Amino acid sequence: MSAAPLPPLPPVPGIEDDEVVFGGPSMLDLLDEDHQQLTQLCDRLAAPDEQEKARPQDIEDVLVATLARHLSAEEQYLYPTVKAVLPDGDPIASQEVAADAELILALQRLHATPAADAAYHAALEAVAVHVRSHADRTAKEVFPRLREQCSDAELVRLGNRVLIARGAAPTRPHPNTPAKPPLNKLVDPAVAVVDKVRDVLTRRTTWPEDLAG
């Protein structure tokens, strides 16, 4: 097995780094759950059910925020792991970063287009197509290979960092911010502070669990 690029741990006297037992979800399980949730949000927004209780604007806000958090976490932890662990990881990671850049632009267009605008449904469909394509590629071509090459402890340790990264990530698309470590690990939390202040001031819904219904 190839070693994943793991974040450092606080020193524990008498215990080696590889002896620490971790609890929590795997990075791959977390990202896969994100993919399913994002697909559901796209579907919810494109074809609302008669029983839908959440406002379309709230669903859109949650989709935008969830996707922004997801892309930030992947760029900080998934793609560096792909590059370090897989023999062909460099081109795969580069392809996904480029696809992310297109998705962020599509997300920005959706975020800036009023729902009443004729271009809104096309903007939403563009985001949905990117999300489904990304989820399909990683599920078939990336995640199974990482599960073979990484230990459960490595994936759980990375999963813990993904959870932290989500909480510190921007909630809006920012196409011009760095997409690769180490700069994205510094810039994303700084940009996120401004996003979160705006969210509070506008009472914007950004987490799926806060949606009605």
Side-chain angles (χ1 to χ4, degrees), residues 1-183:
M1 286 190 177
S2 300
L6 299 172
L9 285 171
V12 180
I15 299 179
E16 295 297 325
D17 196 36
D18 58 1
E19 294 176 347
V20 180
V21 177
F22 298 95
S26 157
M27 172 178 71
L28 303 183
D29 290 341
L30 285 171
L31 296 178
D32 185 58
E33 289 171 5
D34 276 356
H35 293 159
Q36 295 178 40
Q37 193 166 62
L38 289 165
T39 300
Q40 291 168 2
L41 287 167
C42 287
D43 291 343
R44 235 173 129 174
L45 194 55
D49 187 272
E50 291 183 358
Q51 304 302 315
E52 179 65 68
K53 296 180 181 178
R55 297 188 312 148
Q57 184 60 58
D58 289 339
I59 299 174
E60 181 194 318
D61 286 342
V62 169
L63 170 62
V64 170
T66 302
L67 190 46
R69 292 188 188 104
H70 175 76
L71 295 177
S72 177
E74 285 193 329
E75 288 169 355
Q76 289 185 50
Y77 293 104
L78 175 63
Y79 302 148
T81 302
V82 167
K83 292 174 69 173
V85 167
L86 301 182
D88 54 347
D90 277 340
I92 292 174
S94 296
Q95 172 187 318
E96 292 304 325
V97 169
D100 281 1
E102 293 181 6
L103 177 49
I104 290 172
L105 288 174
L107 190 64
Q108 186 181 47
R109 285 193 293 273
L110 175 66
H111 189 51
T113 305
D117 195 296
Y120 181 81
H121 288 290
L124 174 58
E125 180 60 19
V127 170
V129 168
H130 278 294
V131 166
R132 292 189 182 96
S133 177
H134 166 72
D136 188 61
R137 276 196 316 274
T138 52
K140 292 179 179 177
E141 302 171 14
V142 179
F143 289 3
R145 296 178 64 191
L146 289 182
R147 285 193 173 95
E148 290 179 357
Q149 295 298 324
C150 298
S151 69
D152 290 344
E154 287 174 328
L155 292 176
V156 167
R157 185 165 164 186
L158 287 164
N160 291 337
R161 287 306 174 111
V162 164
L163 289 172
I164 294 170
R166 275 183 185 167
T171 60
R172 290 171 170 80
H174 297 279
N176 297 319
T177 56
K180 298 178 182 179
L183 288 179

